Amino acid sequence: MKIREKLNYKKLKKASVLSVVLTLIIGSIFSTVAIAKENHYYEFETEISKYNDNYEVTTEPLGLEIGETISLRDHVISLGGDEKDEFIWLSSDSDMVVVDAVGNVTAKQNGTAKIYCIVGDAKVVFTIIIKDYNKNNLITNFPRLNDNPKLRAASGKLKVFVDPGHGGTDSGAIGPTGYNEKEMTLDVGLRLRSKLEAKGIIVEMSRTTDVELGPTEREDLMARANMGNKFGGDIFVSIHNNSSITSNVKGTETYIHDSFGPGIDEARDLATKVQNSLVNNLGSVDRGVKTFNYCVLRETYMPAILAELDFINNPTIEVKMKTPEYREICAQALYDSIINYFNLTPGNPVPTEGITLSDKDLYLIEGYNKKITANVQPANASDKNVTWTSSDINIATVDSNGNVKAISEGEAVITATTESGGFKAYSNVKVIKGINGHRLFGSDRYATSYEVSKQGWKDGQGANVVLASGEDYPDALCAVPLAKQCSAPILLTRKNSFEQGLKDELTRLDTKKVFIIGGETVISKDVEQSIKSMGIDIERLGGVTRYETSVLVGNKIDNNGAVTVANGLNYPDALSIASIAATNNMPIILTEKSSLNSNVKSFIENKKFTKSYVVGGTTVISDELVKQLPNATRINGNNRYETNKNVISTFSNSIDFSKVYVAVGNNYPDALSVAPLAAKEGNIIILGDTSNTTNYTIIDAIGNNYEKINDTYILGSSTIISDDYLNNNGIVVK
């Protein structure tokens, strides 16, 4: 094995001749094996732990479909790996994704796993996100620029989505002195936004502060792409820094994903212009335009590029990156290339035609600030200057940049007036004292379920417990009404391991009986036996399918003549109504989109329900199916958050709003765990859209019931649901 230059800022363990020989032997064995996490978890952990002292190089997450194969060896070499070196390849979960001895990776089932390449003193980490990609909805069908971009520019509707990579707990790559990729990319992104907006281009950013956009790496990436798609940008620009195996690699490279359609020509054109502009302005090494399966590029529906500005782990480059002058050059280079791509040229003055504001209605807590953005039409208007006024400065003030400060409780109107043409737009500001917020969470989803149990059930109070999977949602969705009827908390468990935290909580509650929701493929026989060994009775409610399981659970409910029906292939709709269904003794029955499972059909007929509530639109439950249900009322919205809002509105007369629970809407465990607690006192769960701190999903769901609320309980830490998002929705965390 070639002895490579040690990184001058990373102390690596010195290896003896014997350890080098052992590494070669082990490498030759494990380079042909991808260790499965499910069946050989401890073997994998043991093997990867041998390389704890290796310098870790992280790469941007990749997206694959089931059955798709990609080679990673050349990418590792491009990061400084030597072809003569020994390459050791490991998979964290070979049930999910396998890797062979030469770095060919094949996706096996939907989910997330990591591939590790051990080469020299380095450990290169690839996150692999496997999901189904609907090619027909991607780049081929997204609205394209006009054939003549100048005509599009004249319309004043150009839109650019800027994605500063990483953020929050995800620092990205780290330089020799600790300078983080997330800091550099955010500063460049904000500078780029200012330049584009000054040109009259509409800009939205995935983040404008140091936050991550999801509780997991997968959710964070999906949020970035989904924000760009919802925004409907003409282009998507993701800004990153590179990291390499050795400290001497440098250069700029720009990536596209080219699997789909003729629209790739535009993405390649944008990438070429970005690459050339960066290289020319930075004086960097030209590593070229490349194609790779980066997940954030594959998820976007428009021409999208990922710019790796340079290698932050190169000491010389890091010194430059830490200077505002260098970051300004990066932003200018990106701006120049985007302007070049859109073919924008100076022209005659463009008159102002109108103005709109980012917030027509604004809730603010006393003492808090919020910036309102004025959008002058057209976007390329020559004079975009605006004056701001407040109707009552004793309630709310506003400065010359649209920053509103809440002074005291009451209502005021903020007015923005264009200096050219005198066009006006208004924002109604309501200043409130703020709802008390309390965080309720544990170190992970399992610990969170135990903390919720402690919140709602005293020592020795839990004669019954409902046990659900923390790894898969379908069987668990229908469990909440059963938990309410049995005065039981829902505790989450792993499939194959009976962990000490679960044992402790069962003991604390003095549990007499556990209802296991789902078959042995969901919660194993070993877990069941471990609980039995504590002297606890077990009743397992698990059908062959999730639909049969929902019927088995439904038969346990002393219903009041009403039933809830939700799609079994996703979780948000069922979670929206879970606590309400439980409060009203309504079973939650799962179904496919267009047909009723025979067991479900028989259940509904035999129970002689007089009322049914269908949660979700026609894309999840068809009108034809609804016609088969008794006296059906459909509750739905444009997305899961609006559906949640409409569910709450439908049952508002029977809800106790004095206490409200808030959980993220892009994952199921926390909302599932807290639903029985909410149901105990007739409270609700609000699903929070945390993809952007300016979302008003909580306020929207509360509606006119704001004054009734005394306390809110937030499921998750500030990294999951930020204080900024809560404050924006009138909640002050104590």
Side-chain angles (χ1 to χ4, degrees):
M1 180 178 290
K2 180 180 177 180
I3 300 176
R4 62 178 70 252
E5 176 185 359
K6 298 289 190 290
L7 296 169
N8 60 6
Y9 54 89
K10 178 81 173 179
K11 291 184 178 180
L12 300 175
K13 181 183 287 184
K14 294 183 179 180
S16 66
V17 173
L18 176 59
S19 66
V20 172
V21 172
L22 288 174
T23 301
L24 285 170
I25 294 172
I26 294 169
S28 65
I29 295 172
F30 282 92
S31 63
T32 60
V33 178
I35 300 175
K37 180 178 178 182
E38 183 71 18
N39 299 321
H40 306 286
Y41 177 78
Y42 294 105
E43 290 88 342
F44 168 75
E45 291 296 332
T46 299
E47 179 60 22
I48 199 65
S49 68
K50 298 175 183 178
Y51 307 103
N52 285 343
D53 290 328
N54 285 44
Y55 170 64
E56 185 168 292
V57 178
T58 57
T59 63
E60 302 306 324
L62 304 177
L64 294 178
E65 290 185 291
I66 295 175
E68 187 175 0
T69 298
I70 186 175
S71 174
L72 298 181
R73 182 182 175 88
D74 288 344
H75 192 70
V76 172
I77 292 173
S78 76
L79 297 176
D82 194 313
E83 292 185 3
K84 298 178 183 178
D85 281 350
E86 180 80 7
F87 287 71
I88 300 172
W89 297 93
L90 300 172
S91 169
S92 68
D93 189 341
S94 60
D95 288 336
M96 194 79 65
V97 59
V98 294
V99 60
D100 65 17
V102 293
N104 294 316
V105 174
T106 302
K108 296 182 65 178
Q109 61 179 343
N110 289 337
T112 303
K114 293 185 183 294
I115 297 295
Y116 295 82
C117 178
I118 313 301
V119 52
D121 294 319
K123 174 173 58 181
V124 185
V125 185
F126 296 91
T127 299
I128 311 295
I129 295 175
I130 307 162
K131 67 186 296 288
D132 299 322
Y133 292 90
N134 186 346
K135 299 180 181 181
N136 293 327
N137 287 338
L138 293 179
I139 200 167
T140 55
N141 284 353
F142 198 83
R144 304 263 55 81
L145 290 171
N146 293 340
D147 292 337
N148 183 348
K150 291 182 180 180
L151 295 177
R152 182 61 180 273
S155 72
K157 297 180 181 178
L158 288 173
K159 301 170 74 175
V160 174
F161 190 86
V162 177
D163 171 40
H166 307 280
T169 58
D170 177 13
S171 61
I174 302 175
T177 66
Y179 188 55
N180 292 329
E181 178 181 2
K182 66 175 183 177
E183 299 176 54
M184 200 271 188
T185 59
L186 178 58
D187 186 71
V188 172
L190 291 170
R191 292 170 184 266
L192 174 60
R193 179 182 68 174
S194 296
K195 295 176 185 295
L196 292 171
E197 288 181 340
K199 187 66 175 178
I201 295 174
I202 301 172
V203 180
E204 183 166 314
M205 297 180 67
S206 57
R207 65 182 182 97
T208 57
T209 58
D210 183 21
V211 296
E212 64 265 50
L213 304 179
T216 65
E217 193 170 30
R218 177 191 183 103
E219 295 293 342
D220 178 86
L221 289 167
M222 297 303 115
R224 294 170 192 267
N226 290 339
M227 288 169 67
N229 294 335
K230 183 178 180 181
F231 175 60
D234 293 303
I235 60 174
F236 182 104
V237 178
S238 191
I239 306 170
H240 290 262
N241 293 325
N242 229 329
S243 181
S244 62
I245 293 170
T246 62
S247 61
N248 59 353
V249 179
K250 58 185 177 180
T252 300
E253 51 194 24
T254 305
Y255 286 89
I256 59 173
H257 184 275
D258 66 349
S259 291
F260 313 125
I264 191 60
D265 293 338
E266 292 185 39
R268 188 176 297 278
D269 180 37
L270 173 61
T272 300
K273 288 179 168 61
V274 167
Q275 177 69 12
N276 291 341
S277 183
L278 286 170
V279 169
N280 292 335
N281 283 272
L282 298 176
S284 57
V285 175
D286 187 357
R287 292 170 61 90
V289 173
K290 301 179 179 181
T291 61
F292 213 41
N293 287 44
Y294 285 138
C295 186
V296 71
L297 298 182
R298 192 165 188 169
E299 284 286 339
T300 46
Y301 298 176
M302 67 208 76
I305 63 101
L306 187 150
E308 296 276 13
L309 301 176
D310 213 321
F311 286 80
I312 196 172
N313 74 305
N314 184 311
T316 303
I317 302 300
E318 187 206 33
V319 170
K320 294 181 180 179
M321 288 182 172
K322 293 170 72 174
T323 67
E325 292 79 11
Y326 182 91
R327 299 193 295 273
E328 176 64 17
I329 294 172
C330 291
Q332 186 65 45
L334 289 168
Y335 169 81
D336 290 343
S337 59
I338 292 170
I339 296 303
N340 186 13
Y341 172 75
F342 286 141
N343 197 20
L344 295 179
T345 57
N348 296 324
V350 178
T352 301
E353 297 177 359
I355 182 174
T356 60
L357 298 181
S358 58
D359 298 90
K360 291 183 178 180
D361 296 289
L362 183 64
Y363 286 84
L364 274 180
I365 301 169
E366 285 184 353
Y368 283 75
N369 298 278
K370 173 71 183 294
K371 179 179 175 62
I372 300 176
T373 301
N375 300 306
V376 176
Q377 288 88 39
N380 62 338
S382 300
D383 184 358
K384 300 174 74 67
N385 292 324
V386 172
T387 58
W388 297 86
T389 57
S390 169
S391 65
D392 191 337
I393 59 174
N394 294 314
I395 293 174
T397 61
V398 60
D399 66 16
S400 59
N401 295 312
N403 294 305
V404 179
K405 183 174 182 179
I407 305 301
S408 62
E409 194 172 9
E411 296 186 23
V413 177
I414 301 299
T415 303
T417 307
T418 64
E419 292 186 2
S420 175
F423 296 97
K424 296 180 182 293
Y426 306 94
S427 177
N428 300 307
V429 179
K430 184 174 184 179
V431 179
I432 55 182
K433 290 190 177 297
I435 306 171
N436 293 326
H438 315 274
R439 293 195 181 273
L440 180 58
F441 66 97
S443 58
D444 58 22
R445 61 186 61 185
Y446 307 98
T448 294
S449 73
Y450 312 150
E451 291 300 318
V452 170
S453 176
K454 292 171 186 174
Q455 177 77 14
W457 287 265
K458 297 178 181 179
D459 292 357
Q461 189 179 354
N464 297 309
V465 164
V466 173
L467 192 65
S469 170
E471 298 169 329
D472 203 10
Y473 63 82
D475 290 331
L477 293 178
C478 57
V480 180
L482 174 63
K484 168 63 167 58
Q485 181 168 296
C486 297
S487 301
I490 290 180
L491 302 182
L492 301 183
T493 181
R494 299 182 191 274
K495 174 184 175 181
N496 292 315
S497 61
F498 181 58
E499 297 189 353
Q500 187 63 43
L502 175 57
K503 182 178 181 180
D504 291 344
E505 188 59 15
L506 291 173
T507 301
R508 185 190 71 82
L509 292 167
D510 191 22
T511 307
K512 306 302 184 197
K513 183 173 183 177
V514 168
F515 294 90
I516 296 179
I517 309 300
E520 293 178 10
T521 59
V522 177
I523 299 176
S524 69
K525 189 71 174 178
D526 289 343
V527 171
E528 178 181 341
Q529 290 299 331
S530 295
I531 297 173
K532 282 184 177 179
S533 69
M534 297 176 65
I536 298 172
D537 290 337
I538 298 289
E539 182 173 348
R540 185 185 287 271
L541 300 171
V544 176
T545 67
R546 63 194 67 184
Y547 312 109
E548 293 180 20
T549 297
S550 71
V551 169
L552 292 173
V553 174
N555 277 317
K556 291 285 183 180
I557 309 301
D558 297 329
N559 69 82
N560 64 356
V563 63
T564 297
V565 179
N567 188 289
L569 297 178
N570 208 345
Y571 58 84
D573 292 341
L575 283 183
S576 281
I577 202 169
S579 64
I580 294 173
T583 299
N584 292 280
N585 299 319
M586 292 190 293
I588 298 175
I589 300 300
L590 305 181
T591 181
E592 296 176 288
K593 173 184 176 181
S594 302
S595 62
L596 287 174
N597 174 280
S598 59
N599 297 80
V600 171
K601 189 173 183 179
S602 297
F603 171 80
I604 292 175
E605 291 174 350
N606 293 337
K607 291 293 183 180
K608 302 185 185 306
F609 292 106
T610 58
K611 181 65 181 176
S612 57
Y613 293 94
V614 177
V615 189
T618 56
T619 59
V620 292
I621 299 181
S622 69
D623 285 335
E624 289 72 20
L625 188 150
V626 172
K627 292 176 182 177
Q628 302 176 52
L629 302 174
N631 189 20
T633 295
R634 185 192 290 276
I635 310 173
N636 65 295
N638 292 325
N639 54 44
R640 63 189 62 183
Y641 306 104
E642 189 172 300
T643 296
N644 181 228
K645 168 189 172 181
N646 292 337
V647 165
I648 293 170
S649 176
T650 300
F651 293 93
S652 60
N653 291 335
S654 63
I655 293 171
D656 181 351
F657 284 96
S658 63
K659 192 182 299 179
V660 167
Y661 296 88
V662 177
V664 292
N666 58 2
N667 209 350
Y668 76 94
D670 292 347
L672 173 66
S673 296
V674 83
L677 179 56
K680 282 185 70 176
E681 298 177 359
N683 306 136
I684 54 168
I685 300 170
I686 296 177
L687 301 183
D689 180 5
T690 59
S691 61
N692 191 318
T693 58
T694 62
N695 287 328
Y696 291 114
T697 44
I698 300 176
I699 285 288
D700 287 344
I702 293 172
N704 296 326
N705 300 291
Y706 187 88
E707 301 294 339
K708 302 176 184 177
I709 299 174
N710 297 322
D711 295 280
T712 58
Y713 288 84
I714 296 92
L715 277 293
S717 68
S718 58
T719 61
I720 303 299
I721 304 179
S722 71
D723 285 347
D724 285 345
Y725 171 70
L726 295 171
N727 293 341
N728 196 55
N729 282 271
I731 298 172
V732 182
V733 178
K734 301 296 185 180

